[in-house]
Amino acid sequence: MIKTIEGIYQDGQIHLTHLPQDVSDRSQVLVTFLDPAQIDPNKLRQLIDQLETIAGIGQGFEELNAGNTRPIENFVQEMQQKYGISG
């Protein structure tokens, strides 16, 4: 699982903007320091979105490799029902 959280480094401590519910007290983290003078908030948000997308794809591959799949016919039927598509 990969989660990207924004935070501020101040007085020798990192203060997170929020903590997801599914993160344990002893989760491993990677910290990247950014130069505030060089940050475009929109590009930072895009980067975070891209990282979360990559993490989601990785989770999908893990589920596929673990055999957690379903027949395509079931998926198609579910999407048709959900979005009112006739097939």
Side-chain angles (χ1 to χ4, degrees):
M1 168 188 66
I2 296 176
K3 297 273 183 192
T4 302
I5 311 286
E6 291 182 66
I8 300 291
Y9 176 79
Q10 182 178 8
D11 299 325
Q13 296 184 356
I14 297 173
H15 304 276
L16 303 177
T17 56
H18 69 282
L19 185 63
Q21 294 176 351
D22 59 346
V23 174
S24 70
D25 286 340
R26 301 208 33 96
S27 294
Q28 184 177 6
V29 299
L30 301 173
V31 178
T32 303
F33 287 88
L34 304 170
D35 181 353
Q38 307 250 340
I39 296 174
D40 176 343
N42 293 325
K43 287 185 180 181
L44 180 59
R45 173 55 32 207
Q46 287 176 342
L47 177 59
I48 290 169
D49 290 344
Q50 289 172 354
L51 290 171
E52 289 173 348
T53 298
I54 291 167
I57 292 169
Q59 181 179 354
F61 279 122
E62 288 176 14
E63 292 173 5
L64 178 66
N65 291 334
N68 298 334
T69 61
R70 61 183 170 156
I72 188 70
E73 295 82 11
N74 294 3
F75 173 77
V76 170
Q77 183 179 18
E78 181 183 322
M79 292 299 109
Q80 287 173 336
Q81 290 173 349
K82 184 175 181 176
Y83 296 106
I85 302 168
S86 60

Coordinates of all heavy atoms in Angstrom, one line a residue:
M1 N 0.8 -1.2 0.0 CA 0.0 0.0 0.0 C 0.9 1.2 0.0 O 1.9 1.3 0.7 CB -0.9 0.0 1.3 CG -1.6 1.3 1.5 SD -2.5 1.5 3.0 CE -1.2 1.4 4.2
I2 N 0.5 2.2 -0.8 CA 1.2 3.5 -0.9 C 0.2 4.6 -0.6 O -0.8 4.6 -1.3 CB 2.0 3.7 -2.2 CG1 3.1 2.7 -2.4 CG2 2.5 5.1 -2.3 CD1 3.8 2.8 -3.7
K3 N 0.5 5.4 0.3 CA -0.4 6.6 0.6 C 0.6 7.8 0.5 O 1.7 7.8 1.1 CB -1.0 6.5 1.9 CG -2.0 5.4 2.1 CD -3.3 5.8 1.7 CE -4.3 4.6 1.9 NZ -5.5 4.8 1.3
T4 N 0.1 8.9 -0.1 CA 0.9 10.1 -0.1 C 0.2 11.1 0.7 O -1.0 11.4 0.5 CB 1.1 10.6 -1.6 OG1 1.7 9.6 -2.4 CG2 1.9 11.9 -1.6
I5 N 0.9 11.7 1.7 CA 0.3 12.7 2.6 C 1.1 13.9 2.6 O 2.4 13.8 2.6 CB 0.3 12.1 4.0 CG1 -0.3 10.7 4.1 CG2 -0.4 13.1 5.0 CD1 -1.7 10.6 4.0
E6 N 0.5 15.1 2.5 CA 1.2 16.3 2.6 C 1.5 16.6 4.1 O 0.8 16.2 5.0 CB 0.4 17.5 2.0 CG 0.3 17.3 0.5 CD -0.5 18.5 -0.1 OE1 0.0 19.6 0.0 OE2 -1.6 18.2 -0.6
G7 N 2.6 17.4 4.3 CA 2.9 17.8 5.7 C 3.9 18.9 5.7 O 4.4 19.4 4.6
I8 N 4.3 19.4 6.9 CA 5.2 20.5 7.0 C 6.3 20.0 8.0 O 6.1 19.4 9.0 CB 4.5 21.7 7.6 CG1 3.4 22.2 6.7 CG2 5.5 22.8 7.9 CD1 3.9 22.8 5.4
Y9 N 7.6 20.3 7.7 CA 8.7 20.0 8.6 C 9.0 21.3 9.3 O 9.2 22.4 8.7 CB 9.9 19.6 7.8 CG 11.2 19.5 8.6 CD1 11.3 18.3 9.4 CD2 12.1 20.4 8.7 CE1 12.5 18.1 10.2 CE2 13.3 20.3 9.5 CZ 13.4 19.1 10.2 OH 14.5 19.0 11.0
Q10 N 8.9 21.3 10.7 CA 9.1 22.5 11.5 C 9.6 22.1 12.8 O 9.2 21.1 13.5 CB 7.7 23.2 11.7 CG 7.8 24.4 12.5 CD 6.4 25.1 12.6 OE1 5.4 24.5 12.2 NE2 6.4 26.3 13.1
D11 N 10.7 22.8 13.2 CA 11.3 22.5 14.5 C 11.7 21.1 14.7 O 11.5 20.5 15.8 CB 10.3 22.9 15.7 CG 10.0 24.4 15.6 OD1 10.9 25.2 15.3 OD2 8.8 24.8 16.0
G12 N 12.3 20.5 13.7 CA 12.8 19.1 13.8 C 11.7 18.0 13.7 O 12.0 16.9 13.9
Q13 N 10.5 18.4 13.5 CA 9.4 17.4 13.4 C 8.6 17.6 12.1 O 8.5 18.7 11.5 CB 8.4 17.5 14.6 CG 9.1 17.3 15.9 CD 8.1 17.3 17.1 OE1 6.9 17.6 16.9 NE2 8.5 17.0 18.3
I14 N 8.0 16.5 11.7 CA 7.1 16.5 10.5 C 5.7 16.5 11.0 O 5.3 15.6 11.7 CB 7.4 15.3 9.6 CG1 8.9 15.4 9.0 CG2 6.4 15.3 8.4 CD1 9.4 14.3 8.2
H15 N 4.9 17.4 10.6 CA 3.5 17.5 10.9 C 2.7 17.2 9.7 O 2.8 17.9 8.7 CB 3.2 18.9 11.5 CG 4.0 19.3 12.6 ND1 3.8 19.0 13.9 CD2 5.2 20.1 12.7 CE1 4.7 19.5 14.7 NE2 5.6 20.1 14.0
L16 N 1.9 16.1 9.7 CA 1.1 15.7 8.6 C -0.2 16.5 8.6 O -0.8 16.8 9.6 CB 0.8 14.2 8.7 CG 2.1 13.3 8.7 CD1 1.7 11.9 8.9 CD2 2.9 13.5 7.5
T17 N -0.7 16.8 7.4 CA -2.0 17.5 7.3 C -3.1 16.6 7.7 O -4.1 17.1 8.2 CB -2.2 17.9 5.8 OG1 -2.2 16.8 4.9 CG2 -1.2 19.0 5.4
H18 N -3.0 15.3 7.5 CA -4.0 14.3 8.0 C -3.4 12.9 8.0 O -2.3 12.7 7.4 CB -5.3 14.3 7.2 CG -5.1 13.8 5.8 ND1 -4.5 14.5 4.8 CD2 -5.4 12.6 5.3 CE1 -4.5 13.7 3.7 NE2 -5.0 12.6 4.0
L19 N -4.0 12.0 8.7 CA -3.5 10.6 8.8 C -4.6 9.7 8.3 O -5.7 9.7 8.9 CB -3.1 10.3 10.2 CG -2.4 8.9 10.4 CD1 -1.1 8.8 9.6 CD2 -2.2 8.6 11.8
P20 N -4.4 8.9 7.3 CA -5.5 8.0 6.8 C -5.8 7.0 7.9 O -5.0 6.6 8.7 CB -4.8 7.3 5.6 CG -3.6 8.1 5.3 CD -3.2 8.8 6.5
Q21 N -7.1 6.5 7.9 CA -7.6 5.6 8.9 C -6.9 4.3 8.9 O -6.7 3.6 9.9 CB -9.1 5.4 8.8 CG -9.8 6.7 9.0 CD -11.3 6.5 8.8 OE1 -11.8 5.5 8.3 NE2 -12.1 7.5 9.2
D22 N -6.4 3.8 7.7 CA -5.9 2.5 7.5 C -4.4 2.4 7.6 O -3.8 1.5 7.2 CB -6.4 1.9 6.2 CG -5.9 2.7 5.0 OD1 -5.5 3.8 5.2 OD2 -6.0 2.1 3.9
V23 N -3.8 3.4 8.3 CA -2.3 3.4 8.5 C -2.0 3.0 10.0 O -2.6 3.6 10.9 CB -1.7 4.8 8.2 CG1 -0.2 4.8 8.5 CG2 -1.9 5.1 6.7
S24 N -1.1 2.0 10.2 CA -0.8 1.6 11.5 C 0.2 2.6 12.2 O 0.8 3.4 11.5 CB -0.3 0.2 11.5 OG 1.0 0.2 10.9
D25 N 0.4 2.4 13.5 CA 1.3 3.3 14.2 C 2.8 3.1 13.8 O 3.6 3.9 14.1 CB 1.2 3.0 15.7 CG -0.1 3.6 16.3 OD1 -0.6 4.5 15.7 OD2 -0.5 3.2 17.4
R26 N 3.1 1.9 13.2 CA 4.5 1.6 12.9 C 4.7 1.5 11.4 O 5.4 0.6 10.9 CB 5.0 0.4 13.6 CG 4.8 0.6 15.1 CD 5.8 -0.2 16.0 NE 7.1 -0.4 15.5 CZ 8.2 0.3 15.7 NH1 8.1 1.3 16.5 NH2 9.3 -0.1 15.3
S27 N 4.0 2.3 10.6 CA 4.1 2.2 9.1 C 5.5 2.8 8.7 O 5.9 3.8 9.2 CB 3.0 3.0 8.4 OG 1.8 2.3 8.7
Q28 N 6.1 2.1 7.7 CA 7.3 2.7 7.1 C 6.9 3.8 6.2 O 5.9 3.8 5.5 CB 8.0 1.6 6.3 CG 9.3 2.0 5.7 CD 10.0 0.9 5.0 OE1 9.5 -0.2 4.8 NE2 11.2 1.1 4.6
V29 N 7.8 4.9 6.2 CA 7.5 6.1 5.4 C 8.8 6.5 4.6 O 9.9 6.1 5.0 CB 7.1 7.3 6.2 CG1 5.8 6.9 7.0 CG2 8.1 7.7 7.2
L30 N 8.6 7.2 3.5 CA 9.6 7.9 2.8 C 9.3 9.4 2.9 O 8.2 9.8 2.7 CB 9.6 7.4 1.3 CG 9.8 5.9 1.1 CD1 9.6 5.6 -0.4 CD2 11.2 5.5 1.5
V31 N 10.3 10.2 3.1 CA 10.1 11.6 3.3 C 10.9 12.3 2.2 O 12.1 12.0 2.0 CB 10.6 12.1 4.7 CG1 10.4 13.6 4.8 CG2 9.8 11.3 5.8
T32 N 10.2 13.2 1.5 CA 10.9 14.0 0.4 C 10.7 15.5 0.8 O 9.6 15.9 1.0 CB 10.2 13.7 -1.0 OG1 10.2 12.3 -1.2 CG2 10.9 14.5 -2.1
F33 N 11.8 16.2 0.9 CA 11.8 17.6 1.2 C 11.7 18.4 -0.1 O 12.5 18.1 -1.0 CB 13.0 18.0 2.0 CG 13.0 17.5 3.4 CD1 13.5 16.3 3.7 CD2 12.4 18.3 4.4 CE1 13.5 15.8 5.0 CE2 12.4 17.8 5.7 CZ 12.9 16.6 6.0
L34 N 10.8 19.3 -0.2 CA 10.6 20.1 -1.3 C 10.9 21.6 -1.0 O 10.7 22.1 0.1 CB 9.1 20.1 -1.8 CG 8.5 18.7 -2.0 CD1 7.0 18.7 -2.2 CD2 9.2 18.0 -3.2
D35 N 11.5 22.3 -2.0 CA 11.8 23.7 -1.9 C 10.6 24.5 -2.1 O 10.0 24.5 -3.2 CB 12.9 24.0 -2.9 CG 13.4 25.5 -2.8 OD1 12.8 26.3 -2.0 OD2 14.3 25.8 -3.5
P36 N 10.1 25.2 -1.0 CA 8.8 25.9 -1.2 C 8.8 27.0 -2.3 O 7.8 27.3 -2.9 CB 8.6 26.5 0.2 CG 9.6 26.0 1.1 CD 10.6 25.3 0.3
A37 N 10.0 27.5 -2.5 CA 10.1 28.6 -3.6 C 10.0 28.0 -5.0 O 9.7 28.7 -5.9 CB 11.5 29.3 -3.4
Q38 N 10.1 26.7 -5.1 CA 10.1 26.0 -6.4 C 8.8 25.2 -6.6 O 8.7 24.5 -7.6 CB 11.3 25.2 -6.6 CG 12.6 25.9 -6.3 CD 13.4 26.1 -7.5 OE1 13.2 25.4 -8.5 NE2 14.3 27.0 -7.5
I39 N 7.9 25.2 -5.7 CA 6.7 24.3 -5.8 C 5.5 25.0 -6.4 O 5.1 26.1 -6.0 CB 6.3 23.8 -4.4 CG1 7.4 23.0 -3.8 CG2 5.0 23.0 -4.4 CD1 7.2 22.6 -2.4
D40 N 5.0 24.4 -7.4 CA 3.7 24.8 -8.0 C 2.6 23.9 -7.4 O 2.7 22.7 -7.6 CB 3.7 24.6 -9.5 CG 2.4 24.9 -10.2 OD1 1.4 25.0 -9.5 OD2 2.4 25.1 -11.4
P41 N 1.7 24.4 -6.6 CA 0.8 23.6 -5.9 C -0.1 22.7 -6.8 O -0.4 21.5 -6.5 CB -0.1 24.5 -5.1 CG 0.7 25.8 -5.0 CD 1.6 25.8 -6.2
N42 N -0.4 23.1 -8.0 CA -1.1 22.3 -8.9 C -0.3 21.1 -9.4 O -0.8 20.0 -9.5 CB -1.6 23.2 -10.1 CG -2.6 24.2 -9.7 OD1 -3.4 24.0 -8.8 ND2 -2.6 25.4 -10.3
K43 N 1.0 21.4 -9.7 CA 1.8 20.3 -10.2 C 2.1 19.3 -9.0 O 2.1 18.1 -9.3 CB 3.2 20.8 -10.7 CG 3.0 21.5 -12.0 CD 4.4 21.9 -12.6 CE 4.2 22.6 -13.9 NZ 5.4 23.0 -14.5
L44 N 2.2 19.8 -7.8 CA 2.3 18.9 -6.6 C 1.1 18.0 -6.5 O 1.2 16.8 -6.3 CB 2.6 19.7 -5.4 CG 2.8 18.9 -4.1 CD1 3.9 17.9 -4.2 CD2 2.9 19.8 -2.9
R45 N -0.1 18.5 -6.6 CA -1.3 17.8 -6.6 C -1.4 16.7 -7.7 O -1.8 15.6 -7.5 CB -2.5 18.7 -6.6 CG -3.9 18.1 -6.7 CD -4.3 17.1 -5.7 NE -3.9 17.2 -4.3 CZ -3.7 16.1 -3.5 NH1 -4.0 14.9 -3.9 NH2 -3.3 16.3 -2.3
Q46 N -0.9 17.1 -8.9 CA -0.9 16.2 -10.0 C 0.1 15.0 -9.7 O -0.2 13.9 -10.0 CB -0.5 16.9 -11.3 CG -1.5 17.8 -11.9 CD -1.0 18.6 -13.1 OE1 0.2 18.7 -13.3 NE2 -1.9 19.1 -13.9
L47 N 1.2 15.4 -9.2 CA 2.2 14.3 -8.8 C 1.6 13.4 -7.8 O 1.8 12.1 -7.9 CB 3.5 15.0 -8.3 CG 4.6 14.0 -7.8 CD1 5.0 13.1 -8.9 CD2 5.8 14.8 -7.3
I48 N 1.0 13.9 -6.8 CA 0.4 13.0 -5.7 C -0.7 12.1 -6.4 O -0.8 10.9 -6.1 CB -0.2 13.9 -4.6 CG1 0.9 14.5 -3.8 CG2 -1.2 13.1 -3.7 CD1 0.4 15.6 -2.8
D49 N -1.5 12.7 -7.3 CA -2.5 11.9 -8.0 C -1.9 10.8 -8.8 O -2.4 9.7 -8.8 CB -3.4 12.8 -8.9 CG -4.3 13.7 -8.1 OD1 -4.5 13.5 -6.9 OD2 -4.8 14.7 -8.7
Q50 N -0.8 11.1 -9.5 CA -0.1 10.1 -10.3 C 0.5 9.0 -9.4 O 0.4 7.8 -9.7 CB 1.0 10.8 -11.1 CG 0.5 11.6 -12.2 CD 1.6 12.4 -12.9 OE1 2.7 12.4 -12.5 NE2 1.3 13.1 -14.0
L51 N 1.0 9.3 -8.3 CA 1.6 8.3 -7.4 C 0.5 7.4 -6.8 O 0.7 6.2 -6.7 CB 2.3 9.0 -6.2 CG 3.6 9.7 -6.5 CD1 4.1 10.5 -5.3 CD2 4.7 8.7 -7.0
E52 N -0.7 8.0 -6.5 CA -1.8 7.2 -6.0 C -2.3 6.3 -7.1 O -2.7 5.1 -6.9 CB -2.9 8.1 -5.5 CG -2.4 8.7 -4.1 CD -3.4 9.8 -3.6 OE1 -4.3 10.2 -4.3 OE2 -3.2 10.1 -2.4
T53 N -2.3 6.8 -8.4 CA -2.7 5.9 -9.5 C -1.8 4.8 -9.7 O -2.2 3.6 -9.9 CB -2.8 6.8 -10.8 OG1 -3.8 7.8 -10.6 CG2 -3.1 5.9 -12.0
I54 N -0.5 5.0 -9.6 CA 0.5 4.0 -9.8 C 0.3 3.0 -8.6 O 0.4 1.7 -8.9 CB 1.9 4.6 -9.8 CG1 2.2 5.4 -11.1 CG2 3.0 3.5 -9.6 CD1 3.4 6.2 -11.1
A55 N 0.1 3.4 -7.4 CA -0.1 2.5 -6.3 C -1.4 1.6 -6.5 O -1.4 0.4 -6.2 CB -0.3 3.3 -5.0
G56 N -2.4 2.2 -7.1 CA -3.6 1.5 -7.4 C -3.4 0.4 -8.4 O -3.9 -0.7 -8.3
I57 N -2.6 0.7 -9.4 CA -2.3 -0.2 -10.5 C -1.5 -1.4 -9.9 O -1.7 -2.5 -10.1 CB -1.5 0.4 -11.6 CG1 -2.5 1.4 -12.4 CG2 -0.9 -0.6 -12.6 CD1 -1.8 2.3 -13.4
G58 N -0.5 -1.0 -9.0 CA 0.3 -2.0 -8.3 C -0.6 -3.0 -7.5 O -0.4 -4.2 -7.5
Q59 N -1.5 -2.4 -6.8 CA -2.5 -3.2 -6.0 C -3.3 -4.1 -6.9 O -3.5 -5.3 -6.6 CB -3.4 -2.3 -5.2 CG -4.3 -3.1 -4.3 CD -5.2 -2.2 -3.5 OE1 -5.1 -1.0 -3.5 NE2 -6.2 -2.8 -2.8
G60 N -3.7 -3.6 -8.1 CA -4.4 -4.5 -9.0 C -3.6 -5.7 -9.5 O -4.1 -6.8 -9.6
F61 N -2.3 -5.4 -9.7 CA -1.4 -6.5 -10.1 C -1.2 -7.5 -9.0 O -1.2 -8.7 -9.2 CB -0.1 -6.0 -10.6 CG 0.0 -5.5 -12.0 CD1 0.3 -4.2 -12.3 CD2 -0.4 -6.4 -13.1 CE1 0.3 -3.8 -13.6 CE2 -0.4 -5.9 -14.4 CZ 0.0 -4.6 -14.7
E62 N -1.1 -7.0 -7.8 CA -1.0 -7.9 -6.6 C -2.2 -8.8 -6.5 O -2.1 -10.0 -6.3 CB -0.8 -7.1 -5.3 CG 0.6 -6.5 -5.2 CD 0.7 -5.6 -4.0 OE1 -0.2 -5.7 -3.1 OE2 1.7 -4.9 -3.9
E63 N -3.4 -8.2 -6.7 CA -4.7 -9.0 -6.6 C -4.7 -10.0 -7.8 O -5.1 -11.2 -7.6 CB -5.9 -8.1 -6.7 CG -6.0 -7.2 -5.4 CD -7.1 -6.2 -5.5 OE1 -7.8 -6.2 -6.5 OE2 -7.2 -5.4 -4.5
L64 N -4.3 -9.6 -8.9 CA -4.3 -10.5 -10.1 C -3.3 -11.7 -9.8 O -3.7 -12.8 -10.1 CB -3.9 -9.7 -11.4 CG -3.8 -10.5 -12.6 CD1 -5.1 -11.0 -13.1 CD2 -3.1 -9.7 -13.7
N65 N -2.1 -11.4 -9.4 CA -1.2 -12.5 -9.1 C -1.6 -13.4 -8.0 O -1.2 -14.5 -7.9 CB 0.2 -11.8 -8.7 CG 0.8 -11.2 -9.9 OD1 0.6 -11.6 -11.1 ND2 1.7 -10.2 -9.7
A66 N -2.5 -12.9 -7.0 CA -3.0 -13.7 -5.9 C -4.2 -14.5 -6.4 O -4.7 -15.3 -5.6 CB -3.3 -12.8 -4.8
G67 N -4.6 -14.3 -7.6 CA -5.8 -15.0 -8.1 C -7.1 -14.4 -7.8 O -8.2 -15.1 -7.9
N68 N -7.1 -13.2 -7.3 CA -8.4 -12.5 -7.0 C -9.0 -11.8 -8.2 O -8.9 -10.6 -8.4 CB -8.1 -11.4 -5.9 CG -7.6 -12.0 -4.6 OD1 -7.8 -13.2 -4.3 ND2 -6.8 -11.3 -3.8
T69 N -9.5 -12.7 -9.1 CA -10.1 -12.2 -10.3 C -11.5 -12.7 -10.4 O -12.0 -13.5 -9.6 CB -9.3 -12.7 -11.5 OG1 -9.4 -14.1 -11.6 CG2 -7.9 -12.2 -11.5
R70 N -12.3 -12.1 -11.4 CA -13.6 -12.6 -11.7 C -13.8 -12.6 -13.2 O -13.1 -11.9 -13.9 CB -14.6 -11.7 -11.0 CG -14.6 -10.3 -11.5 CD -15.6 -9.4 -10.7 NE -15.4 -8.0 -11.0 CZ -16.3 -7.1 -10.9 NH1 -17.5 -7.4 -10.5 NH2 -16.0 -5.9 -11.2
P71 N -14.8 -13.4 -13.7 CA -15.0 -13.5 -15.1 C -15.4 -12.1 -15.7 O -16.1 -11.3 -15.1 CB -16.1 -14.5 -15.3 CG -16.1 -15.3 -14.0 CD -15.6 -14.3 -13.0
I72 N -14.9 -11.8 -16.9 CA -15.2 -10.5 -17.6 C -16.7 -10.4 -17.8 O -17.2 -9.2 -17.7 CB -14.4 -10.4 -18.9 CG1 -14.6 -9.0 -19.5 CG2 -14.9 -11.4 -19.9 CD1 -13.9 -7.9 -18.7
E73 N -17.4 -11.5 -18.0 CA -18.9 -11.4 -18.2 C -19.6 -10.8 -16.9 O -20.5 -10.0 -17.0 CB -19.5 -12.7 -18.5 CG -19.0 -13.4 -19.8 CD -17.6 -14.1 -19.7 OE1 -17.1 -14.3 -18.5 OE2 -17.1 -14.4 -20.7
N74 N -19.1 -11.1 -15.7 CA -19.6 -10.6 -14.5 C -19.4 -9.1 -14.4 O -20.3 -8.3 -14.0 CB -19.0 -11.3 -13.3 CG -19.4 -12.7 -13.2 OD1 -20.1 -13.3 -14.0 ND2 -19.0 -13.3 -12.1
F75 N -18.2 -8.7 -14.8 CA -17.8 -7.2 -14.8 C -18.7 -6.5 -15.8 O -19.2 -5.4 -15.4 CB -16.4 -7.0 -15.1 CG -16.0 -5.6 -15.3 CD1 -15.8 -4.8 -14.2 CD2 -15.8 -5.1 -16.6 CE1 -15.4 -3.5 -14.3 CE2 -15.4 -3.7 -16.7 CZ -15.3 -2.9 -15.6
V76 N -18.9 -7.0 -17.0 CA -19.7 -6.3 -18.0 C -21.1 -6.2 -17.5 O -21.7 -5.1 -17.6 CB -19.6 -7.1 -19.3 CG1 -20.6 -6.5 -20.3 CG2 -18.2 -7.0 -19.9
Q77 N -21.7 -7.2 -17.0 CA -23.0 -7.2 -16.5 C -23.2 -6.1 -15.4 O -24.1 -5.4 -15.4 CB -23.5 -8.6 -16.0 CG -24.9 -8.6 -15.5 CD -25.3 -10.0 -15.1 OE1 -24.5 -10.8 -14.8 NE2 -26.6 -10.2 -15.0
E78 N -22.2 -6.1 -14.5 CA -22.3 -5.1 -13.4 C -22.2 -3.7 -13.9 O -23.0 -2.8 -13.5 CB -21.1 -5.4 -12.4 CG -21.1 -4.4 -11.2 CD -19.9 -4.6 -10.3 OE1 -19.5 -5.8 -10.1 OE2 -19.3 -3.6 -9.9
M79 N -21.4 -3.4 -14.9 CA -21.3 -2.1 -15.4 C -22.6 -1.7 -16.2 O -23.0 -0.6 -16.2 CB -20.0 -2.0 -16.4 CG -18.7 -2.0 -15.6 SD -18.5 -0.7 -14.4 CE -18.6 -1.6 -12.9
Q80 N -23.1 -2.7 -16.9 CA -24.4 -2.4 -17.6 C -25.5 -2.0 -16.7 O -26.2 -1.1 -16.9 CB -24.8 -3.6 -18.5 CG -23.9 -3.8 -19.7 CD -24.2 -5.1 -20.4 OE1 -24.7 -6.1 -19.9 NE2 -23.8 -5.2 -21.7
Q81 N -25.6 -2.8 -15.6 CA -26.6 -2.5 -14.6 C -26.3 -1.1 -13.9 O -27.2 -0.3 -13.7 CB -26.7 -3.6 -13.5 CG -27.2 -4.9 -14.1 CD -27.1 -6.0 -13.1 OE1 -26.5 -5.9 -12.0 NE2 -27.8 -7.1 -13.4
K82 N -25.1 -0.9 -13.5 CA -24.7 0.3 -12.8 C -25.0 1.6 -13.6 O -25.5 2.6 -13.1 CB -23.3 0.3 -12.4 CG -22.8 1.4 -11.6 CD -21.4 1.3 -11.1 CE -20.9 2.4 -10.2 NZ -19.6 2.2 -9.7
Y83 N -24.7 1.5 -14.9 CA -24.8 2.7 -15.8 C -26.0 2.7 -16.7 O -26.1 3.5 -17.6 CB -23.5 2.9 -16.5 CG -22.3 3.2 -15.6 CD1 -21.4 2.3 -15.3 CD2 -22.3 4.4 -14.9 CE1 -20.3 2.5 -14.4 CE2 -21.2 4.7 -14.1 CZ -20.3 3.8 -13.8 OH -19.2 4.0 -12.9
G84 N -26.9 1.7 -16.6 CA -28.1 1.6 -17.4 C -27.8 1.4 -18.9 O -28.4 2.0 -19.8
I85 N -26.8 0.5 -19.2 CA -26.4 0.3 -20.6 C -27.0 -1.0 -21.0 O -26.9 -2.0 -20.3 CB -24.8 0.1 -20.7 CG1 -24.2 1.4 -20.2 CG2 -24.4 -0.2 -22.1 CD1 -22.7 1.3 -20.0
S86 N -27.6 -1.0 -22.2 CA -28.2 -2.3 -22.7 C -27.1 -3.0 -23.4 O -26.3 -2.4 -24.1 CB -29.4 -2.0 -23.5 OG -29.1 -1.2 -24.6
G87 N -27.2 -4.3 -23.3 CA -26.1 -5.1 -24.0 C -26.7 -6.1 -24.9 O -26.2 -6.9 -25.5

